[in-house]
């Protein structure tokens, strides 16, 4: 009777041991599965297919609803988003695959907030853009000039000396746009930062030097006269008794605007062409090299004229010498749309600040190297323009008029 009892007790002990061991092994197995779970794909776990289908549908449904809210027009009959097939050849180059309604091809220099509604950023949009190429040494001169322009004029300073924060002593400077690249000219800046599509918001663009006296200049009245007389390219008259000035650009005290002039006998082959209209041609190279700088020191361009002039500026010819010869190509008829505003006039102070930005080489002073570069650029520009004319007429089988 004793033997069967001991056998049953031993069997129950083995069952308990196996249960404990199985439990421990299950816990160990579960632990390793748990720590490796983040790297395990759901599709690799043998879950019931009905559960996977339910999870997949719920995820895709949420994804589809989000896309529907954002791009409702991009969905086909199923739940997969589709890229619309669009090609609009009239869009700007590179944007042909975009719907025209989303294309923004033009910009501006309006300063915007980092908060709030975009439509409420601007209490007033300036109608004109005024640029000065400046160094800190002329800050008081620029301060006097900027104060001649109202809130209708957006101020943009190009800093050739790299000093910008010092201008914050002037309250207007905090509302201006500052672009700083050392030792560059205003035409270098204009080619790179004043693309016609960037300044398309402005009716007129001023591209002025820093050494201009503006005591007798009123910007609002100037714009009134420019519009009244239909000038697409203009400049204020120059004080006739201050430095060398061509007859064409000298201020005349008996009128609002003049568009032509009488130079010395033999200088004008056509009264509607320079130097007797628009901008002046030189009687000699030595005088021209000085006066051509004066002629392009304070131009004002309409939006339409600037779109042409910007393309005329050569990327590598930074001084702009010779440019005024060709400005008449950008307006038609030039002798009516290019003129000098006499009743709003300025004084050229003749401060050679740009020459000081040069570098002494081969025993030459900095300004001598700058002047030599100007002379070379003038010749290069004339050659390029002449060759371009010849190539065009040869290609089209025409004779130049």
């Amino acid at each position: 009777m004793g033997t069967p009892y001991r056998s049953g007790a031993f069997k129950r002990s083995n069952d308990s041991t196996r249960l404990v061991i199985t439990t421990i092994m299950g816990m160990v197995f579960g632990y390793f599965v748990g720590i490796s779970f983040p790297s395990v794909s759901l599709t690799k776990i043998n879950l019931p297919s009905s559960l996977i289908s339910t999870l997949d549908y719920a995820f895709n449904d949420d994804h589809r609803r989000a896309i529907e809210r954002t791009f409702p027009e991009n969905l086909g009959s199923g739940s997969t988003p589709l890229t619309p097939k669009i090609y609009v050849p009239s869009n700007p180059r590179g944007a042909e695959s975009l719907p025209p309604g989303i294309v923004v091809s033009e910009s501006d220099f309006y300063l915007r907030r980092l908060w709030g509604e975009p439509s409420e950023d601007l209490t007033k949009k300036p109608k004109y853009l005024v640029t000065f190429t400046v160094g800190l040494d002329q800050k008081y001169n620029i301060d006097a000039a900027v104060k001649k322009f109202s809130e209708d004029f957006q101020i943009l300073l190009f800093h050739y000396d790299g000093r910008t924060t010092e201008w914050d002593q002037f309250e207007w400077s905090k509302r201006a746009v500052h672009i700083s690249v050392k030792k560059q000219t205003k035409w270098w800046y204009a080619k790179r930062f004043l693309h016609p599509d960037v300044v398309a918001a402005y009716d007129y663009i001023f591209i002025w030097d820093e050494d201009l006296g503006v005591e007798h200049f009123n910007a609002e009245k100037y714009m009134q006269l420019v519009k009244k007389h239909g000038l697409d390219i203009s400049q204020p008259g120059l004080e006739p008794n201050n430095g060398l000035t061509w007859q064409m650009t000298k201020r005349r005290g008996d009128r609002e605007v003049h568009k032509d002039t009488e130079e010395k006998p033999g200088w004008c082959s056509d009264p509607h062409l320079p130097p007797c209209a628009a901008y002046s041609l030189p009687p000699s190279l030595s005088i021209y090299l000085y006066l051509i700088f004066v002629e392009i020191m304070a131009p004002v361009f309409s939006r339409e004229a600037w779109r042409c002039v910007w393309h005329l500026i050569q990327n590598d010819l930074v001084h702009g010498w010779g440019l005024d010869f060709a400005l008449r190509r950008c307006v038609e008829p030039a002798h009516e749309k290019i003129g000098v505003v006499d009743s709003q006039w300025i004084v050229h102070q003749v401060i050679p600040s740009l020459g000081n930005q040069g570098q002494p080489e081969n025993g030459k002073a900095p300004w001598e190297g700058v002047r030599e570069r100007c002379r070379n650029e003038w010749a290069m520009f004339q050659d390029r323009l002449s060759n371009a004319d010849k190539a065009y007429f040869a290609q089209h089988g025409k004779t130049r008029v």
Side-chain angles (χ1 to χ4, degrees):
M1 294 294 292
T3 302
Y5 174 78
R6 288 194 300 270
S7 175
F10 181 77
K11 182 178 182 180
R12 286 194 299 271
S13 177
N14 287 342
D15 291 341
S16 298
T17 301
R18 283 196 297 269
L19 179 61
V20 172
I21 294 174
T22 301
T23 302
I24 294 173
M25 291 179 64
M27 293 174 62
V28 172
F29 177 77
Y31 170 78
F32 284 107
V33 170
I35 64 173
S36 61
F37 185 79
S39 63
V40 175
S41 172
L42 284 175
T43 59
K44 294 181 180 181
I45 298 178
N46 190 21
L47 295 175
S49 59
S50 60
L51 178 59
I52 293 177
S53 298
T54 302
L55 293 173
D56 185 60
Y57 176 80
F59 174 79
N60 285 333
D61 187 58
D62 288 343
H63 186 59
R64 178 180 62 81
R65 291 177 183 275
I67 293 177
E68 280 183 337
R69 289 193 297 268
T70 309
F71 303 107
E73 74 283 0
N74 287 358
L75 294 178
S77 57
S79 61
T80 304
L82 303 176
T83 300
K85 300 300 181 182
I86 293 177
Y87 183 78
V88 185
S90 59
N91 277 358
R93 186 176 62 179
E96 294 86 354
S97 62
L98 299 177
I102 199 62
V103 173
V104 180
S105 60
E106 298 176 348
S107 186
D108 54 63
F109 287 107
Y110 300 152
L111 300 180
R112 294 186 175 273
R113 306 173 302 175
L114 304 184
W115 65 93
E117 292 293 328
S119 60
E120 299 174 356
D121 284 347
L122 306 174
T123 57
K124 186 173 185 177
K125 292 184 178 181
K127 296 185 291 185
Y128 316 110
L129 178 66
V130 181
T131 74
F132 292 97
T133 301
V134 303
L136 191 63
D137 289 345
Q138 299 304 317
K139 64 180 180 179
Y140 294 114
N141 200 53
I142 293 298
D143 177 51
V146 169
K147 289 178 178 176
K148 291 287 185 175
F149 297 92
S150 69
E151 291 183 354
D152 280 333
F153 298 80
Q154 172 76 57
I155 303 299
L156 168 58
L157 299 188
F158 296 124
H159 298 269
Y160 61 74
D161 61 355
R163 304 175 69 180
T164 58
T165 56
E166 293 90 341
W167 290 82
D168 283 347
Q169 73 179 87
F170 305 115
E171 186 62 30
W172 56 261
S173 176
K174 300 172 185 177
R175 302 186 301 271
V177 177
H178 298 262
I179 296 177
S180 177
V181 183
K182 289 185 177 181
K183 295 183 181 294
Q184 299 302 323
T185 72
K186 72 177 181 180
W187 298 110
W188 184 93
Y189 288 114
K191 189 65 174 178
R192 286 149 183 84
F193 298 104
L194 301 182
H195 186 279
D197 288 342
V198 173
V199 300
Y202 307 100
D203 295 339
Y204 290 84
I205 299 97
F206 292 62
I207 303 182
W208 280 21
D209 287 352
E210 62 181 341
D211 60 342
L212 305 176
V214 293
E215 180 181 354
H216 306 283
F217 178 80
N218 181 292
E220 298 287 354
K221 293 181 179 179
Y222 183 90
M223 293 313 309
Q224 292 173 5
L225 292 172
V226 163
K227 295 174 183 179
K228 175 182 176 180
H229 293 275
L231 300 179
D232 281 329
I233 300 177
S234 65
Q235 70 173 75
L238 295 176
E239 166 56 53
N241 301 316
N242 194 75
L244 296 175
T245 305
W246 285 90
Q247 292 296 326
M248 176 62 201
T249 54
K250 283 184 179 180
R251 176 181 70 91
R252 301 181 187 179
D254 59 346
R255 64 194 67 188
E256 293 180 335
V257 167
H258 72 270
K259 302 179 183 181
D260 54 23
T261 191
E262 292 183 5
E263 290 288 354
K264 294 181 180 179
W267 281 22
C268 300
S269 59
D270 188 323
H272 290 161
L273 293 177
C276 293
Y279 288 88
S280 44
L281 293 172
S284 66
L285 180 61
S286 59
I287 297 179
Y288 167 76
L289 288 174
Y290 175 79
L291 291 181
I292 197 69
F293 176 77
V294 171
E295 296 297 337
I296 57 175
M297 68 182 170
V300 180
F301 302 97
S302 70
R303 181 195 299 111
E304 294 76 14
W306 179 247
R307 185 166 290 277
C308 172
V309 172
W310 183 88
H311 287 88
L312 186 63
I313 300 171
Q314 304 295 287
N315 198 56
D316 57 333
L317 306 185
V318 298
H319 290 287
W321 281 33
L323 185 62
D324 55 354
F325 277 113
L327 290 179
R328 65 183 184 273
R329 294 170 178 254
C330 288
V331 290
E332 181 64 34
H335 64 276
E336 294 182 5
K337 293 185 177 295
I338 300 179
V340 175
V341 179
D342 296 290
S343 60
Q344 299 300 318
W345 48 284
I346 58 177
V347 177
H348 184 212
Q349 299 170 340
V350 198
I351 300 174
S353 54
L354 189 62
N356 295 334
Q357 297 299 306
Q359 185 170 332
E361 290 183 348
N362 302 323
K364 296 181 180 180
W367 66 268
E368 291 181 297
V370 172
R371 184 178 62 178
E372 183 177 358
R373 168 79 180 244
C374 291
R375 185 182 296 114
N376 292 338
E377 285 194 7
W378 173 80
M380 294 171 67
F381 181 81
Q382 292 299 101
D383 287 343
R384 290 182 188 183
L385 189 57
S386 177
N387 291 337
D389 281 339
K390 293 176 182 178
Y392 171 83
F393 289 111
Q395 181 181 359
H396 293 81
K398 297 180 180 180
T399 302
R400 182 175 180 178
V401 180

